[in-house]
C-alpha cells in the first residue's frame, strides 16, 4: 500500500487538460453566470425572510424563575427547557440524525448523498485553490508550484471516487423509492380536494429533475474520469481512482481507441461542467434549496414553541396573521425548508381521519403563497390550479381563502408533525396564529363558539355553574382541604373534564381517595379554579386564555402550596410551560408521577393485578412534555404486563380531542383517530387499554364501543387500576354523587 | 338608517334559584347574569342589516346587573354606540311595563328607524316588551320575526307562525320588531376585542327618571313548581313496561290503532 502510494509521488493530472484558452474563458464566464444566478436567487429568498418579524431565535429568553426555599423548583422538574446547544445541532445536521430518526435506510441514503456531495464540493474547492491561487501566486515568484499531486492526489482521488460512488448508489435508491415503492408519504395527493381541482405534477418533475441532475453530475464525472484514464493510457497512479479505472477498462474493452477516448473525454468534460454549473444556478429556485434552508432552519429551530406558544405580536394591531409581514422570519424559512418528505403527512391524525388537513400541504401552500407574494422565482416547485384558489389566492384572506378555515380547525395540535419533521419545521404555532385570525373574525362552528362563551362566562366548557365545580367532592366521605384557606403540599388542579363530566367524576373521587388513604397533604381550589386554558389558547382565543390565566393566577398566588398535581395532560402543559411566563413558580406534576413515587416509596400498598395492558401515551404528556415513563412505572409496579403498540411514546397517535377539537363536530371524519387507535391496540393480545388523561377515557370508551371492541378491550384509567391494586379498595367506599 | 337594539340581562339559568325571604322574587344576590339570548339574536339581525346597508347600530340597555359586559361585547361585535340608561332600575326586578316605559321615554327624544329587541326573555316569556313599546311610541310593531330587510322608509319582515309557516310583511318605518332568530348564528366576539372595548370604555351613560307607570300587577307569591303526585311508576319486566306504555298511549289517544 505504502509502496504504491510512494510510487505516485509527483504524479498528477492536468486540470484543464485539453481545454484551450477559449474554452477556459467560456468556462469562467459560465461559472460567473451560474454564481450570479445562485446569488440572485438566494438574495430573493433572503429578502422574503427579511419581510418577516423577529423570531427571538438568536437570543433565548431567560429560563423560568425558580422558587426559593427547599421545595423543588420548576427548573428541577421541567425536563431541560428543550433547547439543544448550537454545537449539538450542528452535530445533528452532520450526522443526518433527524433524517434517520424514523427511517433508517432513508437516513443512510441521505447521509451518503449529503457527505458525497460535500466531499466532491470540497474536492472542487481544493482544485480551485490549487489552480487559481497556489499556481498563479507561485508563478509570480518564479517556479510554478502545486500541491495537487503525489500522495495527496492519490488520497484525494480515492476519497472522491468512493464518496461519489456511494452518493450515486444512494441516488439510485432515492429514485427507486420514488418510482417503485409507492410510499404513502411520497404521494403528493392533497388531503383535501379543492373545488376545481389542482395539479401537482410539477412537484414530481421537480423531484425527478433534482435527483436526475445530481445523478448526471456524478455519472458524467465518473465517465470523464474513465475516458481520461483510457486516453492517458492507464498510468499506474490512476488506480487510486478505482471507479474511473474500471470504466476505463470497460471503455478499452469496448474497443474505443485512445484518440477516440480523448475526443469523448473533452465532450463529457463540457457536459459535466455545464451540468454542475446548472445545478449551482438551480439551487435557490427549487427543492435543492433545502440544502441551505434546512441547515439554517435546524440551527434556529426551537423545539419548545409548541408547548409554550408565542404570544401574539403586540405591535401588529390585530390578532393572528394576515400578511407576509405578520410571520416571523423563522416561519417564512420553515416554508422554504420543507422537502415534501411527507413524514408529517402520514403521521397526522387529521389527514388519516379524512379531514381536510395535511401539515405538509399547509406548509407547501403557505410557501407558494409567501413566495408568490414576495416575487420569488421558482422552478418546478408550484401547485397549479384552474381557479385562483388556495395558494394561488392573491387577494383574499390568508386564514380563510389561502388556507381554508376547516383545514385550520381540523388540527388537534397533537404535535406529531413537529416531532416527525426532519428539518425542524414548527407547524403548530403557525396553525395557532392562523386560528387567531379566524377567532378575531369570528369564523368558527357554533359548538366551539358555545364552548368558548361558556368558558368566558362560567370558567368551564360544560356551561355549568362555576359554583358547581367542586360538586363532585360531595360524594366523598372526607372533606378535601380548601387550598385557598390552608397551606397544602400538593395543589390539585382538577380541570374541567375531571370536575364536570359525569363519567369522570368518579375517577376524580377515586384519585382523591387514593391520596387521602396514603396520607398525602393535598387540596383543591374549589370554585376558585377555572379552565386552565391550554386548549383555549390552541384554539386561537388568546384573549380568553389571558383572562383565564389572570383568574387562575389570582387564586394560585393567594394559595400556599409546594407543587401542583393534575390528572389532565393539557392542563399540565399550560401550567408547566406557559404559566411561568405569568408568574407561576411551582413545579407541576402529572398524577402518574405522584403515584409512581408513592408506590415506589412504599406509601401505597399495592398488590399485583397480573393483567396484560397496553398504554396510550397522551400527546400532551409524551410529545409535549417527554413524560412517558411514570405511567409505565405505575403499571409495572401493580403487576401489569405492558405490551407496547407500534406507535408509542413520542410517536404516539392522537385521540383526536386536542387543540379544541373536543368542542367541534367530528361527524365528517371517515375514521375517528380514536377508533384508528383502538384498532391498533386490538391487534395486540392485551386485556386493557390504559389511559392517563380524562379526555382519553371518554374518547376511547366511546371508540371501543363504536368499533365493537368494548367486550375484549377494557378502557381503563391508571387511577382505577391503582385503586384496584390497593387491597383497601372496598373500604374506600366511593359514594355516588 | 339608524337602528336601536334593546338589550336586557337575565339570570343565568344554570344557577340554582332560590326564593328570597319576602317570598315574592328570586334571590338575586348570588346569581350571575347573562344577556337575554333573544336580544343577542336581535343584535345579530341588526348587525346583518348594518353589513348589508351600512346602517348604524346603537345598543341600549338599562342598568341591569353585569350589563356592561353585554354592551362591550356588542361594541366588539360592531355596534356603533352603547347607551346605558341609569337611574331606572330599583332594587329588584323591573317589570316589563316599567321597562317599556323607560325605553319609550328615552326613544321619544331620539330618531331611530328601527327598534329591535328579543321577542321574549326568561322573565318576559309572554313577550310583552316589543308590543308595549310599539303602543307607547305609536309605531307599528311585529314580533316573532326571523328576518328583516330594511330599505328607505319601509322594511320587509319575515314573521314565523306555528308549524314553521312564514309570512312576509312590509312595514313602514319607524317600527318596533321583536326578533325570534337572526338570519345567521350570532357572531363571536373575541375576548381581546371585548377587553379592548372595555378599556376604551365608550358606554354613554344617560340618566333617566324612574318609571312612573306601574303595571297594575303585584306579585303575591313566588314559589318553585309544586310536585304533583300524579306520577305512576311502572315496574316489571321490560316487556310488561312496554305493554303498559303502549296501552297508556292508546288510552289517551296519543297513538292511533
Ligand atoms: S399537530 Fe397533529 S393534527 Fe395538527 S397538523 Fe400536526 S400532525 Fe396534524
Ligand atoms: S413539513 Fe417537514 S415532515 Fe412535513 S413534508 Fe415538509 S419536511 Fe417533511
Amino acid at each position: 500500500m505504502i509502496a504504491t502510494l510512494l510510487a505516485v509521488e509527483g504524479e498528477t493530472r492536468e486540470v484543464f487538460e485539453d481545454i484551450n484558452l477559449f474554452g477556459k474563458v467560456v468556462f469562467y464566464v459560465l461559472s460567473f453566470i451560474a454564481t450570479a444566478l445562485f446569488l440572485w436567487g438566494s438574495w430573493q429568498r433572503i429578502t422574503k425572510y427579511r419581510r418577516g418579524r423577529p423570531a427571538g431565535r438568536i437570543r433565548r429568553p431567560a429560563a423560568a424563575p425558580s422558587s426559593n426555599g427547599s421545595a423543588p423548583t420548576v427548573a428541577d422538574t421541567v425536563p431541560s427547557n428543550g433547547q439543544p446547544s448550537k454545537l449539538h445541532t450542528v452535530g445533528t445536521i452532520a450526522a443526518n440524525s433527524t433524517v434517520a430518526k424514523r427511517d433508517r435506510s432513508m437516513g443512510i441514503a441521505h447521509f451518503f448523498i449529503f457527505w458525497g456531495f460535500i466531499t466532491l464540493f470540497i474536492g472542487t474547492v481544493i482544485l480551485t485553490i490549487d489552480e487559481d491561487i497556489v499556481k498563479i501566486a507561485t508563478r509570480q515568484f518564479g517556479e510554478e508550484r502545486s500541491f495537487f499531486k503525489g500522495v495527496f492526489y492519490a488520497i484525494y482521488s480515492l476519497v472522491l471516487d468512493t464518496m461519489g460512488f456511494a452518493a450515486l448508489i444512494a441516488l439510485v435508491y432515492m429514485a427507486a423509492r420514488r418510482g417503485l415503492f409507492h410510499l404513502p408519504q411520497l404521494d403528493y395527493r392533497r388531503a383535501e380536494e379543492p373545488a376545481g381541482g389542482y395539479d401537482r405534477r410539477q412537484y414530481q418533475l421537480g423531484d425527478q429533475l433534482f435527483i436526475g441532475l445530481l445523478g448526471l453530475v456524478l455519472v458524467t464525472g465518473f465517465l470523464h474520469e474513465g475516458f481520461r484514464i483510457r486516453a492517458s493510457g492507464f498510468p499506474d497512479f490512476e488506480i487510486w481512482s478505482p471507479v474511473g479505472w474500471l470504466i476505463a477498462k470497460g471503455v478499452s474493452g469496448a474497443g474505443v481507441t485512445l484518440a477516440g477516448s480523448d475526443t469523448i473525454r473533452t465532450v463529457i468534460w463540457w457536459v459535466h461542467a455545464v451540468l454542475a454549473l446548472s445545478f449551482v444556478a438551480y439551487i435557490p429556485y427549487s427543492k435543492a434549496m433545502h440544502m441551505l434552508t434546512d441547515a439554517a432552519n435546524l440551527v434556529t429551530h426551537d423545539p419548545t414553541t409548541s408547548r409554550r406558544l408565542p404570544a401574539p405580536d403586540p405591535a401588529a394591531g390585530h390578532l393572528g396573521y394576515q400578511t407576509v409581514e405578520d410571520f416571523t422570519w423563522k416561519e417564512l424559512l420553515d416554508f422554504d425548508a420543507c422537502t415534501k418528505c411527507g413524514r408529517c403527512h402520514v403521521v397526522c391524525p387529521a389527514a388519516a381521519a379524512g379531514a381536510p388537513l395535511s401539515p405538509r400541504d399547509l406548509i407547501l401552500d403557505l410557501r407558494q403563497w409567501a413566495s408568490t407574494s414576495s416575487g420569488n422565482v421558482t422552478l418546478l416547485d408550484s401547485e397549479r390550479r384552474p381557479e385562483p384558489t388556495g395558494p394561488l389566492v392573491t387577494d383574499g384572506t390568508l386564514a380563510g381563502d389561502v388556507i381554508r378555515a376547516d383545514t385550520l380547525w381540523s388540527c388537534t395540535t397533537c404535535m406529531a408533525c413537529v416531532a416527525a419533521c426532519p428539518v425542524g419545521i414548527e407547524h403548530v404555532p403557525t396553525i395557532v396564529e392562523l386560528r387567531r385570525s379566524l377567532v378575531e373574525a369570528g369564523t368558527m362552528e357554533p359548538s366551539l363558539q358555545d364552548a368558548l362563551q361558556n368558558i368566558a362566562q362560567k370558567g368551564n366548557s360544560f356551561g355549568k355553574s362555576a359554583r358547581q365545580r367542586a360538586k363532585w367532592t360531595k360524594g366523598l366521605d372526607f372533606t378535601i382541604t380548601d387550598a385557598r384557606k390552608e397551606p397544602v403540599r400538593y395543589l390539585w388542579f382538577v380541570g374541567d373534564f375531571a370536575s364536570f363530566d359525569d363519567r369522570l367524576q368518579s375517577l376524580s373521587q377515586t384519585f382523591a381517595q387514593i391520596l387521602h388513604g396514603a396520607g398525602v397533604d393535598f387540596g383543591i381550589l374549589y370554585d376558585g379554579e377555572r379552565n386552565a386554558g391550554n386548549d383555549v389558547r390552541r384554539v386561537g382565543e388568546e384573549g380568553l386564555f389571558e383572562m383565564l390565566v389572570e383568574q387562575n393566577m389570582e387564586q394560585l398566588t393567594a394559595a400556599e402550596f409546594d407543587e401542583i398535581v393534575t390528572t389532565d395532560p393539557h392542563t399540565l402543559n399550560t401550567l408547566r410551560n406557559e404559566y411561568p411566563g405569568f408568574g407561576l413558580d411551582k413545579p407541576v406534576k402529572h398524577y402518574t408521577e405522584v403515584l409512581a413515587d408513592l408506590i415506589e416509596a412504599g406509601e401505597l400498598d399495592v398488590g399485583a393485578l397480573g393483567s396484560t395492558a397496553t398504554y396510550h401515551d397522551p400527546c400532551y404528556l409524551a410529545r409535549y412534555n417527554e413524560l412517558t415513563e411514570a405511567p409505565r412505572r405505575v403499571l409495572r409496579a401493580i403487576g401489569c404486563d405492558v405490551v407496547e403498540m407500534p406507535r408509542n411514546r413520542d410517536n404516539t397517535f392522537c385521540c383526536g380531542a386536542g387543540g379544541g377539537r373536543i368542542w367541534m363536530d367530528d361527524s365528517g371524519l371517515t375514521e375517528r383517530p380514536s377508533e384508528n387507535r383502538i384498532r391498533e391496540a386490538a391487534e395486540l393480545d392485551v386485556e386493557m387499554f390504559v389511559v392517563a388523561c380524562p379526555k382519553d377515557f371518554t374518547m376511547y370508551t366511546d371508540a371501543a364501543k363504536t368499533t365493537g371492541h368494548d367486550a375484549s378491550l377494557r378502557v381503563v384509567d391508571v387511577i382505577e387500576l391503582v385503586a384496584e391494586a390497593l387491597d383497601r379498595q372496598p373500604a374506600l367506599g366511593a359514594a355516588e354523587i | 338608517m339608524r337602528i336601536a337594539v334593546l338589550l336586557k340581562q337575565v339570570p343565568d339559568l344554570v344557577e340554582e334559584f332560590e326564593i328570597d325571604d319576602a317570598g315574592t322574587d328570586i334571590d338575586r344576590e348570588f346569581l350571575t347574569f347573562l344577556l337575554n339570548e333573544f336580544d343577542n339574536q336581535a343584535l345579530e339581525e341588526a348587525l346583518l342589516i348594518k353589513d348589508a346597508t351600512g346602517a348604524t347600530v346603537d345598543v341600549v340597555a338599562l342598568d341591569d346587573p353585569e350589563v356592561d359586559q353585554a354592551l362591550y361585547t356588542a361594541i366588539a361585535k360592531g355596534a356603533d354606540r352603547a347607551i346605558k340608561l341609569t337611574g331606572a332600575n330599583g332594587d329588584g326586578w323591573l317589570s316589563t311595563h316599567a321597562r317599556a316605559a323607560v325605553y319609550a321615554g328615552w326613544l321619544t327624544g331620539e330618531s331611530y328607524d328601527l327598534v329591535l329587541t328579543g321577542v321574549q326573555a326568561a322573565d318576559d316569556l309572554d313577550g310583552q316588551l316589543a308590543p308595549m313599546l310599539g303602543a307607547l311610541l305609536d309605531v307599528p310593531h311585529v314580533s316573532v320575526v326571523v328576518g328583516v330587510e330594511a330599505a328607505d322608509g319601509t322594511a320587509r319582515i319575515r314573521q314565523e307562525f306555528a308549524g314553521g309557516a312564514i309570512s312576509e310583511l312590509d312595514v313602514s318605518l319607524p317600527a318596533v320588531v321583536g326578533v325570534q332568530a337572526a338570519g345567521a348564528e350570532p357572531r363571536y366576539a373575541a375576548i381581546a376585542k371585548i377587553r379592548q372595548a372595555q378599556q376604551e370604555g365608550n358606554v354613554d351613560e344617560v340618566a333617566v327618571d324612574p318609571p312612573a307607570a306601574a303595571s297594575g300587577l303585584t306579585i303575591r307569591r313566588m314559589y318553585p313548581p309544586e310536585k304533583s303526585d300524579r306520577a305512576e311508576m311502572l315496574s316489571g319486566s321490560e316487556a310488561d313496561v312496554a305493554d303498559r306504555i303502549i296501552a297508556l298511549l292508546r288510552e289517551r289517544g296519543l297513538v292511533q290503532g
Side-chain angles (χ1 to χ4, degrees):
Chain A
M1 185 81 177
I2 306 244
T4 357
L5 258 184
L6 289 179
V8 300
E9 202 198 332
E11 301 290 6
T12 186
R13 61 175 156 97
E14 273 300 312
V15 174
F16 277 118
E17 199 178 3
D18 239 30
I19 307 295
N20 58 24
L21 183 66
F22 177 69
K24 280 192 189 184
V25 171
V26 171
F27 176 77
Y28 278 106
V29 169
L30 287 179
S31 308
F32 179 78
I33 294 173
T35 314
L37 281 171
F38 173 83
L39 291 176
W40 186 71
S42 308
W43 180 244
Q44 272 208 315
R45 300 270 172 192
I46 292 169
T47 314
K48 177 173 67 186
Y49 310 144
R50 285 163 56 105
R51 289 179 70 185
R53 62 191 171 91
R57 296 308 164 93
I58 312 298
R59 227 184 39 203
R60 303 280 184 216
S66 57
S67 67
N68 303 321
S70 60
T73 63
V74 174
D76 295 335
T77 52
V78 174
S80 68
N81 70 351
Q83 301 279 4
S85 71
K86 294 280 179 260
L87 200 66
H88 182 266
T89 310
V90 171
T92 308
I93 297 171
N96 282 208
S97 36
T98 56
V99 188
K101 188 174 161 201
R102 297 215 184 122
D103 191 343
R104 280 284 306 279
S105 45
M106 169 65 199
I108 294 169
H110 191 270
F111 180 89
F112 282 116
I113 299 173
F114 179 94
W115 281 111
F117 275 89
I118 288 183
T119 314
L120 293 172
F121 179 73
I122 294 173
T124 312
V125 170
I126 292 175
L127 207 60
T128 312
I129 292 173
D130 189 69
E131 188 68 19
D132 291 346
I133 299 176
V134 178
K135 280 193 186 168
I136 293 175
T138 48
R139 228 180 285 146
Q140 310 304 316
F141 303 102
E143 198 192 341
E144 178 182 286
R145 287 175 181 280
S146 157
F147 61 80
F148 192 62
K149 59 184 185 187
V151 177
F152 179 82
Y153 175 66
I155 295 173
Y156 173 97
S157 300
L158 184 62
V159 170
L160 260 63
D161 247 41
T162 318
M163 291 306 287
F165 190 66
L168 189 58
I169 302 286
L171 275 170
V172 170
Y173 169 78
M174 290 284 206
R177 205 171 155 266
R178 277 162 198 282
L180 307 174
F181 295 7
H182 300 296
L183 298 170
Q185 63 265 42
L186 295 178
D187 183 340
Y188 285 149
R189 271 176 302 172
R190 295 185 64 99
E192 106 286 7
E193 180 76 27
Y198 67 100
D199 176 359
R200 280 187 161 179
R201 267 171 306 181
Q202 277 206 2
Y203 286 177
Q204 263 161 343
L205 289 176
D207 288 358
Q208 287 158 4
L209 179 66
F210 182 32
I211 295 181
L213 256 182
L214 287 178
L216 282 176
V217 167
L218 290 176
V219 168
T220 51
F222 280 129
L223 283 177
H224 174 256
E225 193 175 60
F227 280 98
R228 184 192 73 221
I229 294 170
R230 167 74 184 104
S232 51
F234 295 96
D236 276 351
F237 68 89
E238 293 280 28
I239 190 89
W240 293 101
S241 300
V243 180
W245 185 269
L246 284 175
I247 293 173
K249 286 286 181 202
V251 167
S252 74
V256 181
T257 61
L258 211 102
S261 302
D262 209 34
T263 318
I264 295 172
R265 173 184 64 167
T266 313
V267 173
I268 294 179
W269 189 90
W270 278 107
V271 173
H272 178 70
V274 169
L275 281 173
L277 292 175
S278 311
F279 182 77
V280 169
Y282 148 97
I283 290 174
Y285 306 96
S286 65
K287 180 172 194 159
M289 75 179 155
H290 86 268
M291 298 159 35
L292 307 168
T293 50
D294 288 5
N297 211 47
L298 281 167
V299 168
T300 54
H301 174 50
D302 177 353
T304 68
T305 52
S306 300
R307 72 169 83 124
R308 185 166 51 237
L309 287 173
D313 176 17
H318 55 81
L319 278 176
Y321 287 177
Q322 296 169 359
T323 63
V324 174
E325 280 73 16
D326 289 332
F327 288 88
T328 67
W329 61 259
K330 168 64 170 67
E331 285 168 317
L332 297 170
L333 180 64
D334 268 354
F335 307 154
D336 279 354
C338 177
T339 62
K340 312 186 188 86
C341 75
R343 292 180 186 200
C344 57
H345 178 76
V346 290
V347 294
C348 175
L357 163 69
S358 149
R360 174 199 66 193
D361 295 348
L362 177 101
I363 295 295
L364 291 174
D365 287 350
L366 287 170
R367 153 147 120 207
Q368 185 163 344
W369 169 80
S371 294
T372 314
S373 39
S374 303
N376 284 185
V377 177
T378 57
L379 189 71
L380 295 181
D381 200 28
S382 308
E383 175 177 314
R384 282 180 298 178
R385 294 190 182 189
E387 321 268 326
T389 57
L392 283 77
V393 166
T394 44
D395 94 274
T397 54
L398 173 57
D401 292 328
V402 178
I403 307 294
R404 282 165 39 174
D406 58 354
T407 297
L408 294 168
W409 288 131
S410 296
C411 178
T412 70
T413 66
C414 73
M415 217 185 132
C417 48
V418 179
C421 183
V423 302
I425 291 171
E426 299 152 27
H427 315 65
V428 174
T430 305
I431 290 174
V432 173
E433 284 286 8
L434 293 170
R435 283 177 165 192
R436 286 174 181 165
S437 303
L438 294 177
V439 169
E440 180 167 62
T443 316
M444 63 179 79
E445 56 184 76
S447 57
L448 175 58
Q449 182 167 334
D450 286 347
L452 294 178
Q453 262 154 3
N454 283 334
I455 296 174
Q457 285 160 355
K458 301 165 210 203
N460 69 79
S461 60
F462 290 78
K464 300 225 173 123
S465 162
R467 268 191 294 278
Q468 305 284 317
R469 188 175 262 285
K471 197 175 169 196
W472 63 270
T473 59
K474 295 232 172 80
L476 295 167
D477 52 11
F478 60 95
T479 310
I480 300 181
T481 310
D482 187 338
R484 296 170 298 180
K485 301 190 179 128
E486 279 173 60
V488 287
R489 165 147 187 235
Y490 284 111
L491 181 111
W492 175 10
F493 201 102
V494 188
D496 277 12
F497 278 79
S499 299
F500 288 108
D501 191 300
D502 300 337
R503 290 186 283 179
L504 299 169
Q505 288 173 333
S506 66
L507 280 181
S508 303
Q509 290 174 337
T510 311
F511 184 55
Q513 283 155 343
I514 294 173
L515 291 182
H516 182 69
V520 174
D521 175 23
F522 74 102
I524 61 175
L525 291 173
Y526 282 87
D527 54 356
E529 185 186 299
R530 293 283 176 277
N531 182 304
N534 188 73
D535 296 352
V536 168
R537 190 172 214 199
R538 277 144 189 87
V539 156
E541 203 356 332
E542 187 72 8
L544 181 53
F545 170 71
E546 284 169 12
M547 191 170 106
L548 293 168
V549 174
E550 282 165 29
Q551 292 170 338
N552 283 317
M553 278 310 295
E554 199 179 303
Q555 301 284 325
L556 290 169
T557 324
E560 251 185 84
F561 58 93
D562 297 332
E563 296 174 69
I564 292 181
V565 62
T566 180
T567 57
D568 177 29
H570 300 242
T571 300
L572 174 131
N573 181 66
T574 190
L575 289 178
R576 187 185 268 194
N577 300 305
E578 299 182 318
Y579 275 51
F582 298 88
L584 182 65
D585 59 356
K586 296 289 166 57
V588 182
K589 282 188 172 163
H590 190 238
Y591 77 96
T592 54
E593 295 177 278
V594 174
L595 288 180
D597 289 349
L598 285 173
I599 295 174
E600 284 163 14
E603 313 272 337
L604 282 174
D605 197 9
V606 289
L609 293 178
S611 342
T612 52
T614 190
Y615 169 70
H616 165 72
D617 287 282
C619 308
Y620 275 87
L621 283 190
R623 264 194 290 269
Y624 276 75
N625 290 289
E626 293 146 32
L627 215 155
T628 54
E629 297 318 304
R632 291 178 168 83
R633 273 159 60 203
V634 174
L635 290 178
R636 279 195 298 270
I638 58 176
C640 287
D641 186 9
V642 183
V643 184
E644 298 293 350
M645 284 181 273
R647 294 176 287 186
N648 62 65
R649 297 189 168 82
D650 86 327
N651 190 25
T652 186
F653 190 68
C654 179
C655 74
R661 283 297 313 168
I662 197 151
W663 302 316
M664 297 179 233
D665 179 26
D666 63 358
S667 55
L669 303 179
T670 49
E671 184 194 31
R672 289 192 183 86
S674 53
E675 296 172 344
N676 178 311
R677 184 64 158 170
I678 287 287
R679 293 196 175 98
E680 178 179 4
E683 294 287 304
L684 309 172
D685 188 20
V686 293
E687 299 154 51
M688 297 186 300
F689 183 91
V690 183
V691 296
C693 163
K695 288 189 188 91
D696 277 343
F697 185 77
T698 53
M699 294 298 285
Y700 288 116
T701 313
D702 291 347
K705 282 202 194 96
T706 52
T707 53
H709 289 294
D710 53 333
S712 52
L713 197 60
R714 175 182 170 211
V715 175
V716 58
D717 194 285
V718 173
I719 297 171
E720 275 178 272
L721 291 180
V722 171
E724 281 166 27
L726 284 164
D727 283 335
R728 298 179 291 174
Q729 172 65 358
L732 289 169
E736 293 295 310
I737 291 183
Chain B
M1 163 100 35
R2 294 185 68 213
I3 305 174
V5 184
L6 311 182
L7 304 181
K8 170 159 81 166
Q9 292 284 101
V10 292
D12 186 348
L13 299 179
V14 302
E15 302 291 343
E16 280 170 15
F17 287 86
E18 278 171 33
I19 304 297
D20 69 1
D21 294 340
T24 55
D25 195 1
I26 46 169
D27 189 345
R28 288 165 190 268
E29 194 173 332
F30 296 109
L31 292 181
T32 47
F33 289 82
L34 296 175
L35 177 64
N36 171 28
E37 56 176 308
F38 294 98
D39 293 352
N40 200 23
Q41 299 285 343
L43 172 62
E44 181 60 32
E45 190 63 29
L47 293 170
L48 290 174
I49 301 172
K50 176 180 174 170
D51 293 345
T53 67
T56 58
V57 174
D58 294 355
V59 286
V60 188
L62 302 195
D63 199 0
D64 296 332
E66 300 162 44
V67 75
D68 287 1
Q69 192 61 29
L71 293 174
Y72 291 126
T73 306
I75 294 177
K77 287 183 178 184
D80 298 281
R81 196 174 150 219
I83 300 124
K84 183 161 79 177
L85 307 179
T86 60
N89 301 57
D91 288 339
W93 178 65
L94 201 60
S95 74
T96 306
H97 264 89
R99 204 170 265 276
V102 177
Y103 280 135
W106 183 78
L107 284 167
T108 319
E110 302 284 323
S111 54
Y112 286 104
D113 302 291
L114 259 176
V115 176
L116 300 187
T117 188
V119 66
Q120 63 179 68
D123 57 2
D124 180 24
L125 284 180
D126 42 355
Q128 296 195 40
L129 182 62
M132 274 183 195
L133 256 182
L136 291 172
L137 295 172
D138 197 19
V139 298
H141 136 262
V142 194
S143 266
V144 204
V145 167
V146 292
V148 181
E149 260 174 69
D152 250 358
T154 66
R156 177 149 299 179
I157 288 183
R158 288 186 302 129
Q159 188 179 33
E160 194 179 83
F161 288 100
I166 304 264
S167 72
E168 226 173 49
L169 317 167
D170 281 334
V171 178
S172 63
L173 301 182
V176 179
V177 173
V179 178
Q180 162 88 15
E185 199 59 44
R187 63 197 64 191
Y188 182 78
I191 300 292
K193 280 195 190 171
I194 301 177
R195 289 186 137 194
Q196 194 191 339
Q198 217 156 5
Q199 267 156 19
E200 289 165 4
N202 291 328
V203 169
D204 298 343
E205 296 199 9
V206 179
V208 291
D209 296 332
S215 64
L217 302 172
T218 40
I219 297 171
R220 238 168 16 98
R221 175 176 166 230
M222 192 176 277
Y223 56 94
E226 277 160 4
K227 289 197 184 74
S228 78
D229 45 24
R230 286 173 48 206
E232 182 191 343
M233 301 305 292
L234 306 181
S235 54
S237 74
E238 281 172 27
D240 291 347
V241 172
D243 286 344
R244 184 82 191 100
I245 292 175
I246 292 168
L248 277 171
L249 291 174
R250 289 218 174 102
E251 248 168 56
R252 316 231 158 143
L254 295 170
V255 291
Q256 304 287 315

